[in-house]
């Protein structure tokens, strides 16, 4: 690799010395500059950064922040839908919903595992979530008031999640990108089940249609907020896009989601609660109304309708699951002692014989 000059490093995707993980005010030494050049070249060439590769500390911190928030969203996101498992209207619907909620737990685990490759443990991330030091998605602070909310979550929330997450399959950090491939496949199934559920309600009785419409009315705007603040208020987007963690800005993805959702709503026979939605011939995209960013900020501050309930339930589930973690750790310890290690193959032969 060619040596790099100080000028070249200041033009790096890592922006400032601080972003590159150097103490502000100190000149990068030659080794730092060389490592940074290798990192920047890999990002520029669309190569993947892997766990053992050198990376700027700020890149690592940004990934931990985003991946932790993502993982926390998956497991907290189990709560609103799990609320309806016991009241699903048929065995088929119950089986589908149970599978979906389990999938979300799985997504959380892939993401915590991917975050572990950055040198942070799942335990540490969960402690931060429980202490309110890391976020989860604003969307999960809204209540699921009727069965139709399960459909609206599938269609809109999973739909927004996919729109945001498909580009993450091309994220510059390898373990995150690879985790996203499987997650997106499962999310796409989730989105279809929500759409199918809403279609059944929309084509059902008058009361069922009204229930579906009410759910869409309540979930539409919070779903648009999932994409994050508008670009001019997004503190991390510019750097995350330079590092190719994010491939598109918050507003770009939000627009893409609106353009996908509008014809789908028509096909469902439902309306979106925004009188300003209309096709803009010039832009080749839909215009839509103003989002209530005050509501978004309030939810982020902890003042949403269910913030308290969600985090209390999460802490309780963690405490009540302590015995499972202890048992799993005891089992793992037992099976790594020399005596059980030698005993295992014989047992395996007997069982498979
Ligand atoms: N909620 O500078 P930006 C799912 C925060 S998974 C809460 O634009 P960034 C599956 C942000 O952290 C849904 N906080 O931030 C499912 C930052 O705060 P900080 C989760 C938000 O990171 C379905 C500040 O605002 N998906 O739904 C939100 O560049 C059904 C400034 O914002 C992901 O996490 C928000 N909506 O862009 C499960 C995808 N938006 O840290 C169950 C991965 C922003 O400075 C059932 N994440 N903030 O204190 C991302 O793509 C990005 O992190 C964004 C935000 C786009 C969410």
């Amino acid at each position: 690799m060619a040596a790099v000059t100080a000028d070249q490093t200041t033009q790096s995707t890592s922006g400032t010395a601080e972003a590159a993980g150097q103490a502000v005010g100190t000149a990068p030494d030659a080794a730092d500059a060389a490592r940074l050049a290798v990192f920047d070249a890999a990002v520029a060439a669309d190569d993947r950064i892997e766990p053992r590769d050198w990376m700027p500390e700020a890149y690592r911190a940004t990934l931990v922040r985003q991946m932790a928030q993502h993982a926390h969203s998956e497991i907290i996101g189990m709560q609103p839908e799990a609320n309806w498992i016991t009241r699903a209207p048929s065995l088929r619907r119950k089986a589908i919903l149970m599978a979906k909620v389990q999938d979300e737990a799985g997504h959380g685990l892939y993401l915590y595992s991917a975050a572990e490759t950055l040198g942070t443990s799942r335990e540490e991330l969960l402690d931060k979530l429980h202490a309110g030091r890391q976020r989860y998605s604003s969307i999960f602070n809204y209540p699921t008031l009727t069965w139709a909310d399960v459909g609206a979550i599938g269609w809109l929330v999973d739909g927004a999640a996919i729109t945001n997450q498909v580009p993450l399959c091309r994220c510059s950090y390898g373990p995150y990108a690879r985790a996203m491939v499987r997650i997106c496949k499962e999310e796409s199934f989730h989105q279809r089940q929500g759409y199918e559920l809403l279609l059944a309600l929309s084509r059902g009785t008058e009361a069922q249609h009204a229930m579906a419409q009410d759910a869409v009315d309540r979930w539409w705007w919070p779903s648009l907020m999932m994409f994050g603040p508008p670009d001019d208020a997004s503190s991390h987007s510019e750097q995350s896009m330079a590092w190719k963690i994010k491939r598109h800005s918050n507003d770009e993805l939000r627009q893409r989601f609106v353009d996908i959702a509008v014809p789908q709503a028509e096909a469902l026979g439902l309306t979106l609660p925004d009188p300003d939605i209309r096709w803009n011939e010039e832009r080749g995209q839909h215009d839509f109304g103003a989002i209530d960013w005050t509501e978004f900020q309030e939810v982020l501050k902890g003042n949403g309708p269910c913030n308290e309930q969600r985090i209390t339930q999460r802490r309780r589930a963690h405490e009540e699951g302590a015995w499972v973690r202890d048992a799993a750790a005891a089992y793992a310890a037992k099976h790594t002692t020399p005596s059980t290690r030698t005993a295992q193959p014989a047992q395996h032969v007997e069982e498979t014989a």
Side-chain angles (χ1 to χ4, degrees):
M1 191 213 62
V4 283
T5 64
D7 274 348
Q8 279 171 303
T9 60
T10 56
Q11 287 162 9
S12 81
T13 57
S14 304
T16 62
E18 192 180 14
Q22 298 136 6
V24 180
T26 61
D29 64 22
D32 279 343
R35 284 193 293 252
L36 185 58
V38 171
F39 170 85
D40 282 343
V43 171
D46 270 337
D47 287 345
R48 292 271 157 81
I49 306 299
E50 297 297 340
R52 288 195 184 85
D53 294 341
W54 181 89
M55 63 187 81
E57 277 315 305
Y59 175 83
R60 187 186 299 276
T62 294
L63 281 167
V64 170
R65 178 188 62 78
Q66 178 168 326
M67 290 162 74
Q69 177 169 326
H70 196 165
H72 300 331
S73 303
E74 299 283 359
I75 61 164
I76 296 252
M78 296 164 74
Q79 292 184 35
E81 289 179 289
N83 181 36
W84 282 92
I85 290 176
T86 55
R87 292 174 287 167
S90 69
L91 184 57
R92 173 174 174 265
R93 292 288 179 200
K94 190 193 287 270
I96 292 172
L97 185 54
M98 283 173 67
K100 180 185 190 294
V101 172
Q102 274 188 320
D103 282 353
E104 308 300 0
H107 297 173
L109 298 190
Y110 312 152
L111 290 165
Y112 287 122
S113 297
E116 278 180 342
T117 66
L118 292 160
T120 170
S121 70
R122 192 193 321 173
E123 200 174 24
E124 185 186 334
L125 297 182
L126 284 171
D127 283 348
K128 286 186 175 155
L129 169 67
H130 299 150
R133 288 167 54 210
Q134 282 178 342
R135 300 184 188 283
Y136 59 90
S137 179
S138 50
I139 193 73
F140 301 117
N141 293 306
Y142 291 85
T144 42
L145 302 180
T146 72
W147 169 250
D149 288 21
V150 172
I153 290 181
W155 177 44
L156 295 174
V157 176
D158 286 282
I162 297 165
T163 309
N164 166 270
Q165 291 170 15
V166 166
L168 291 175
C169 299
R170 293 189 296 117
C171 163
S172 56
Y173 187 57
Y176 192 23
R178 288 189 287 275
M180 289 318 301
V181 173
R182 181 160 173 189
I183 291 177
C184 284
K185 286 190 174 144
E186 292 176 355
E187 297 289 21
S188 133
F189 170 75
H190 296 170
Q191 195 265 357
R192 278 158 186 258
Q193 71 80 36
Y195 185 87
E196 194 258 345
L197 194 166
L198 278 184
L199 188 64
L201 290 176
S202 179
R203 292 181 175 171
T205 64
E206 210 174 299
Q208 287 172 326
H209 181 91
M211 186 165 68
Q213 184 61 61
D214 169 65
V216 169
D217 289 348
R218 284 181 289 107
W219 287 92
W220 173 249
W221 292 107
S223 298
L224 294 190
M225 294 174 197
M226 283 176 74
F227 294 92
D231 291 351
D232 54 12
S234 166
S235 41
H236 303 293
S237 281
E238 194 183 341
Q239 181 61 75
S240 290
M241 286 171 72
W243 277 328
K244 298 186 180 171
I245 294 172
K246 285 167 84 162
R247 294 283 179 159
H248 305 280
S249 76
N250 299 353
D251 286 332
E252 279 167 13
L253 292 173
R254 193 171 5 252
Q255 177 71 57
R256 191 176 289 182
F257 174 68
V258 171
D259 291 333
I260 293 169
V262 170
Q264 291 185 348
E266 274 168 33
L268 280 170
L270 298 170
T271 56
L272 296 171
D274 179 357
D276 294 328
I277 290 188
R278 63 182 55 86
W279 179 250
N280 183 322
E281 197 64 56
E282 218 170 282
R283 293 201 302 122
Q285 291 172 325
H286 291 87
D287 291 337
F288 57 97
I291 295 171
D292 182 355
W293 292 113
T294 311
E295 176 181 321
F296 175 74
Q297 290 304 338
E298 282 303 308
V299 173
L300 259 58
K301 278 191 227 152
N303 302 327
C306 298
N307 294 59
E308 189 58 42
Q309 181 186 330
R310 299 291 184 241
I311 202 70
T312 303
Q313 169 63 19
R314 170 92 276 287
R315 288 192 194 117
R316 188 166 56 230
H318 190 70
E319 280 160 22
E320 287 174 358
W323 71 271
V324 180
R325 292 190 297 279
D326 290 347
Y331 182 84
K334 194 169 150 195
H335 283 261
T336 49
T337 60
S339 59
T340 51
R341 259 207 309 272
T342 49
Q344 269 174 351
Q347 194 185 359
H348 179 71
V349 170
E350 263 170 45
E351 279 169 6
T352 53

